[in-house]
Amino acid sequence: MNINNEIKEKSNETVKLLIEMGLKITSAESCTGGLFAASITSVSGSSGCFEGSFVTYSNEIKHKIINVREETLKKYGAVSEECVLEMSENSRKIMNSDISIAISGIAGPFGGSEDKPVGLVWICLSADGYIKAYKNIFSGNRDDVREKSVCFALDLVLNFIKKC
């Protein structure tokens, strides 16, 4: 199965389960540029579970719009566990959602370093009383990294809500 079909299937299942459980979701995205939100809103009826999304590409906007602390961005950078923890938790609170996904990474082909290579993506799921960030290093071109990030994020949501 190609990744686009996988994203569609997981998005459909995610929306269905969120609606059945009466849960609301939001996202804060950087390297995926709204691709997670687009995958959810591509499903008919997603307004029953999707509150909205923040695409916070620059550090300035991460700070101004979703309250990521300047100290966090200076000390750890945007592509860090600390940043996605704040992105996810803050966006969830701003939107008053049950669940939030945050994604920040280096999709490439440029911008990587020895410490933070191209393909490094931090993804975090936040819910009331729960928050966990995951470090991933995805292979492939820019689109591959972005799509694999969304697929991983959808899996996080599905696994989390199935345990509720």
Short mmCIF file of all heavy atoms in Angstrom, two decimals, residues 7 15-16 24 36 38 40 69 74 79 95 99 104 145 150 161:
data_model
loop_
_atom_site.label_atom_id
_atom_site.label_comp_id
_atom_site.label_asym_id
_atom_site.label_seq_id
_atom_site.Cartn_x
_atom_site.Cartn_y
_atom_site.Cartn_z
N ILE A 7 -2.37 6.97 4.61
CA ILE A 7 -2.81 8.18 5.31
C ILE A 7 -4.32 8.32 5.22
O ILE A 7 -4.98 8.63 6.21
CB ILE A 7 -2.07 9.43 4.77
CG1 ILE A 7 -0.61 9.40 5.20
CG2 ILE A 7 -2.76 10.71 5.23
CD1 ILE A 7 0.27 10.47 4.57
N VAL A 15 -10.91 9.83 12.33
CA VAL A 15 -12.10 10.71 12.41
C VAL A 15 -13.30 9.93 12.93
O VAL A 15 -14.02 10.39 13.82
CB VAL A 15 -12.39 11.37 11.04
CG1 VAL A 15 -13.76 12.03 11.02
CG2 VAL A 15 -11.30 12.38 10.70
N LYS A 16 -13.49 8.74 12.41
CA LYS A 16 -14.63 7.91 12.84
C LYS A 16 -14.57 7.66 14.35
O LYS A 16 -15.57 7.84 15.06
CB LYS A 16 -14.62 6.59 12.07
CG LYS A 16 -15.72 5.63 12.43
CD LYS A 16 -15.62 4.35 11.60
CE LYS A 16 -16.68 3.36 12.02
NZ LYS A 16 -16.16 2.18 12.68
N LYS A 24 -12.36 15.84 20.59
CA LYS A 24 -11.94 16.90 19.68
C LYS A 24 -10.42 16.88 19.58
O LYS A 24 -9.72 16.65 20.55
CB LYS A 24 -12.39 18.27 20.19
CG LYS A 24 -13.90 18.41 20.34
CD LYS A 24 -14.57 18.54 19.02
CE LYS A 24 -16.06 18.83 19.20
NZ LYS A 24 -16.73 19.04 17.93
N PHE A 36 -0.99 17.27 8.36
CA PHE A 36 -1.79 16.48 9.31
C PHE A 36 -3.22 17.00 9.32
O PHE A 36 -4.18 16.22 9.21
CB PHE A 36 -1.19 16.53 10.72
CG PHE A 36 -2.01 15.77 11.74
CD1 PHE A 36 -1.81 14.41 11.92
CD2 PHE A 36 -2.99 16.40 12.49
CE1 PHE A 36 -2.58 13.69 12.83
CE2 PHE A 36 -3.75 15.70 13.41
CZ PHE A 36 -3.55 14.34 13.58
N ALA A 38 -4.75 18.67 7.03
CA ALA A 38 -5.36 18.36 5.74
C ALA A 38 -5.81 16.91 5.66
O ALA A 38 -6.87 16.61 5.08
CB ALA A 38 -4.38 18.67 4.61
N ILE A 40 -6.87 15.05 8.14
CA ILE A 40 -8.09 14.93 8.94
C ILE A 40 -9.27 15.57 8.22
O ILE A 40 -10.35 14.99 8.11
CB ILE A 40 -7.89 15.56 10.34
CG1 ILE A 40 -6.83 14.79 11.14
CG2 ILE A 40 -9.21 15.63 11.11
CD1 ILE A 40 -7.17 13.39 11.55
N ARG A 69 7.92 29.04 24.62
CA ARG A 69 8.80 29.99 25.31
C ARG A 69 10.04 30.30 24.47
O ARG A 69 10.63 29.39 23.88
CB ARG A 69 9.20 29.47 26.68
CG ARG A 69 8.02 29.35 27.63
CD ARG A 69 8.37 28.73 28.97
NE ARG A 69 9.01 27.43 28.78
CZ ARG A 69 10.09 27.03 29.43
NH1 ARG A 69 10.67 27.78 30.33
NH2 ARG A 69 10.60 25.84 29.20
N LYS A 74 15.53 29.10 22.06
CA LYS A 74 16.95 29.46 22.07
C LYS A 74 17.82 28.32 22.58
O LYS A 74 18.88 28.04 22.02
CB LYS A 74 17.18 30.71 22.93
CG LYS A 74 16.71 31.98 22.26
CD LYS A 74 16.91 33.19 23.16
CE LYS A 74 16.32 34.42 22.50
NZ LYS A 74 16.20 35.54 23.43
N VAL A 79 13.35 22.10 16.55
CA VAL A 79 13.31 20.66 16.32
C VAL A 79 13.87 19.98 17.57
O VAL A 79 15.04 19.63 17.64
CB VAL A 79 14.08 20.27 15.05
CG1 VAL A 79 13.98 18.77 14.80
CG2 VAL A 79 13.55 21.04 13.85
N MET A 95 -7.07 25.72 21.92
CA MET A 95 -8.24 25.25 21.17
C MET A 95 -9.26 24.54 22.05
O MET A 95 -10.34 24.20 21.58
CB MET A 95 -7.81 24.30 20.06
CG MET A 95 -7.09 24.96 18.94
SD MET A 95 -8.22 25.86 17.88
CE MET A 95 -7.16 26.13 16.48
N ILE A 99 -7.35 16.33 22.44
CA ILE A 99 -6.08 15.78 21.96
C ILE A 99 -5.43 16.80 21.05
O ILE A 99 -6.11 17.48 20.27
CB ILE A 99 -6.31 14.47 21.18
CG1 ILE A 99 -6.95 13.40 22.06
CG2 ILE A 99 -5.00 13.95 20.57
CD1 ILE A 99 -7.43 12.17 21.29
N SER A 104 7.39 18.83 14.51
CA SER A 104 8.45 19.77 14.15
C SER A 104 9.67 18.97 13.73
O SER A 104 10.10 18.05 14.44
CB SER A 104 8.79 20.69 15.33
OG SER A 104 9.67 21.71 14.92
N VAL A 145 9.42 12.42 4.04
CA VAL A 145 9.57 12.75 5.45
C VAL A 145 8.28 13.35 6.00
O VAL A 145 7.80 12.96 7.08
CB VAL A 145 10.76 13.72 5.67
CG1 VAL A 145 10.78 14.27 7.09
CG2 VAL A 145 12.07 13.01 5.34
N VAL A 150 3.18 12.42 9.17
CA VAL A 150 1.72 12.42 9.34
C VAL A 150 1.23 11.01 9.64
O VAL A 150 0.38 10.82 10.52
CB VAL A 150 1.03 13.01 8.09
CG1 VAL A 150 -0.47 12.78 8.13
CG2 VAL A 150 1.35 14.50 7.98
N ILE A 161 -6.44 6.71 21.32
CA ILE A 161 -7.91 6.68 21.51
C ILE A 161 -8.44 5.26 21.65
O ILE A 161 -9.46 5.05 22.30
CB ILE A 161 -8.68 7.50 20.45
CG1 ILE A 161 -8.42 6.99 19.04
CG2 ILE A 161 -8.37 8.96 20.57
CD1 ILE A 161 -9.15 7.76 17.95
#
